[in-house]
Amino acid sequence: ARLVAALRASEESLRERLAATERSRAAGMQAVTAALAAARSVADVARVVAAQGRAAFGAFNAAVALLDAGGRTFRIVAADGAPPAYLDAWRSFAADAPVPYADAAATRAPLLIRSRAEYAARFPVLAPLVERLGVEATAVLPLVTIDAPGAAEGSGRVLGVAHFDFDDAARL
């Protein structure tokens, strides 16, 4: 009888936690929707993506970088949680640099780096920075325009990327 009561209490506690999580997610979605509705520029949208995405994903650092009109240079237009020295060093950089942004943009696919060791192996130029910042995992998501009706699949233009760093790989 005690075991059954304990299991029921545990089940009820789990249901309450799940309901609270769902309420929190719904509130977060409402906040994002309201912030995007109020956005009046690309920079406003980028700030919403960085700040709200960071909070929603549990990242400690987020940034949005856009490609210039020629697709040759990334420029960070919004960041949330990034140290100023990082932003100063990476405010603008070549689109073909050996960094995750370039890979995600070139492949038009999300790039998920699940460990610091993977990061160092794939992007050795960034290994010291990743270690200094305490990055354990990273997600870089390409920002691509929607294909025009009748256009070939995947023909949308890459605008840039959204980038999220995590201090716990389990959050990815």
Side-chain angles (χ1 to χ4, degrees):
R2 286 185 187 177
L3 179 58
V4 170
L7 287 173
R8 284 186 179 145
S10 179
E11 183 180 343
E12 183 59 32
S13 173
L14 180 58
R15 272 197 206 109
E16 288 171 8
R17 284 185 298 193
L18 289 173
T21 298
E22 198 55 41
R23 285 190 301 275
S24 176
R25 282 185 186 158
M29 291 299 288
Q30 288 175 336
V32 170
T33 301
L36 287 172
R40 298 289 177 244
S41 68
V42 171
D44 290 344
V45 172
R47 282 190 289 275
V48 170
V49 169
Q52 299 290 337
R54 176 181 174 225
F57 296 142
F60 74 85
N61 175 38
V64 174
L66 299 179
L67 285 164
D68 66 3
R72 290 185 291 279
T73 305
F74 279 107
R75 186 172 58 86
I76 294 178
V77 295
D80 194 73
Y86 164 82
L87 292 176
D88 291 344
W90 290 95
R91 180 72 57 196
S92 178
F93 55 93
D96 62 356
V99 297
Y101 288 31
D103 277 16
T107 63
R108 298 168 170 254
L111 175 62
L112 305 178
I113 302 171
R114 300 181 185 279
S115 72
R116 193 177 295 174
E118 179 186 352
Y119 216 127
R122 292 183 70 179
F123 305 101
V125 70
L126 296 178
L129 176 63
V130 166
E131 182 145 351
R132 203 168 40 253
L133 292 175
V135 175
E136 294 296 334
T138 295
V140 182
L141 312 174
L143 305 174
V144 183
T145 61
I146 297 172
D147 297 328
E153 177 80 19
S155 65
R157 185 169 66 95
V158 177
L159 302 175
V161 298
H163 165 207
F164 302 94
D165 286 328
F166 301 89
D167 57 9
D168 180 357
R171 290 186 181 272
L172 184 58

